[in-house]
Amino acid sequence: FLGANWTTVYLGIEERHPNSKDAEAILGLSSLDPIVDSLIVLVAVALLLFLIGAIVAARNIAKKPTIRLVSNKQPPKLMIARGLTWHLFNSHIWSTGQDAAAVIKNELQQLLPGIKIFLDVDELDDIGALEEYVARSQM
């Protein structure tokens, strides 16, 4: 933004007073080169910071532990039988187990990306339909 403003001001002064040194006297610049060079350096630094951030993010994702098969070192292919919604029904004691069940769900989702887990806090619309939710889960 500032570089564009300085460039506009410099060019405006040069346009009004073509053969004078007014632009140099006002801005302290004898040409646009320092402004353009500064903008190029600024863009290069911004790109470098973005690249560093992308590399750090990619490394963090690569280091995230996941469950993998011994046979091929790949994550297991999670399939849900036709008519089912969740791989797992996560059950808990209402009075004391909600937090622990949420942690278990979160950890499993990090270890097995793509797993669908029923947890009442997230999915339950009707307590009377609890048996239906269990029936729509593989485990």
Side-chain angles (χ1 to χ4, degrees):
F1 181 76
L2 290 176
N5 283 337
W6 288 346
T7 303
T8 303
V9 169
Y10 185 89
L11 291 174
I13 295 170
E14 285 291 310
E15 186 178 300
R16 288 192 180 104
H17 310 283
N19 293 322
S20 70
K21 300 253 183 205
D22 289 347
E24 185 176 355
I26 294 170
L27 298 176
L29 303 169
S30 59
S31 71
L32 285 176
D33 291 343
I35 296 172
V36 172
D37 293 345
S38 299
L39 291 175
I40 290 171
V41 169
L42 187 64
V43 169
V45 168
L47 287 173
L48 182 65
L49 289 174
F50 174 78
L51 182 62
I52 290 170
I55 290 170
V56 168
R59 291 184 75 200
N60 287 341
I61 289 171
K63 288 181 181 178
K64 189 162 76 168
T66 57
I67 293 176
R68 298 187 178 271
L69 300 173
V70 173
S71 60
N72 61 7
K73 306 282 190 248
Q74 296 296 314
K77 295 193 185 332
L78 301 174
M79 294 182 281
I80 298 178
R82 177 171 275 146
L84 299 181
T85 307
W86 299 281
H87 294 104
L88 176 68
F89 183 91
N90 195 357
S91 181
H92 62 88
I93 298 172
W94 276 66
S95 60
T96 61
Q98 242 175 3
D99 292 341
V103 169
I104 290 169
K105 178 181 178 180
N106 186 33
E107 291 294 321
L108 282 171
Q109 287 176 327
Q110 288 182 20
L111 291 170
L112 287 168
I115 191 169
K116 294 181 180 176
I117 301 172
F118 177 91
L119 181 60
D120 59 359
V121 178
D122 301 330
E123 310 286 344
L124 185 65
D125 294 326
D126 178 15
I127 188 68
L130 199 55
E131 289 180 13
E132 179 187 331
Y133 292 119
V134 172
R136 289 176 34 204
S137 301
Q138 282 190 171
M139 296 171 117

